[in-house]
Amino acid sequence: MSPEAGGTEAAIALAIVKTLSLVVGGLITFLAFRAYRRTHQRALGLLTVGFGLVTLGLVLAGTLYEILGVSLYVGILLESLLMLAGFLVIAYSLYVT
């Protein structure tokens, strides 16, 4: 089944969910950055970077596919790589003190 076979309703729902994920992820990243700026703790700085990467990864596949015409599979691969990098940075930030 092709990615386009889901219909217009699914595309709208996906756009709404991705937008909400971007807003919430951006808020979490902003709050982590404010905490880092207030305390200057390296772990909070890394946490900010990690959440930023995950948030960017959440919206990357659709953006690349819709706007730049990149293959959906390539977009999903890049999205997954950014999310993996973000989760690795988050894990490292929680490991180091």
Side-chain angles (χ1 to χ4, degrees):
M1 182 153 84
S2 72
E4 291 82 17
T8 305
E9 296 85 11
I12 291 170
L14 181 61
I16 290 170
V17 169
K18 288 290 192 174
T19 301
L20 290 173
S21 297
L22 176 63
V23 169
V24 173
L27 178 63
I28 291 169
T29 304
F30 173 71
L31 292 174
F33 177 71
R34 278 186 38 192
Y36 166 71
R37 201 172 56 192
R38 189 172 53 250
T39 64
H40 297 287
Q41 292 182 0
R42 182 171 180 256
L44 283 174
L46 290 169
L47 191 67
T48 301
V49 171
F51 277 123
L53 287 171
V54 169
T55 301
L56 179 63
L58 282 170
V59 297
L60 187 65
T63 302
L64 290 175
Y65 176 71
E66 291 293 334
I67 296 175
L68 299 178
V70 173
S71 161
L72 186 60
Y73 297 111
V74 172
I76 291 171
L77 175 63
L78 293 174
E79 171 187 53
S80 298
L81 287 171
L82 268 179
M83 290 183 68
L84 174 63
F87 286 134
L88 286 171
V89 172
I90 290 169
Y92 182 71
S93 76
L94 295 172
Y95 179 74
V96 298
T97 52

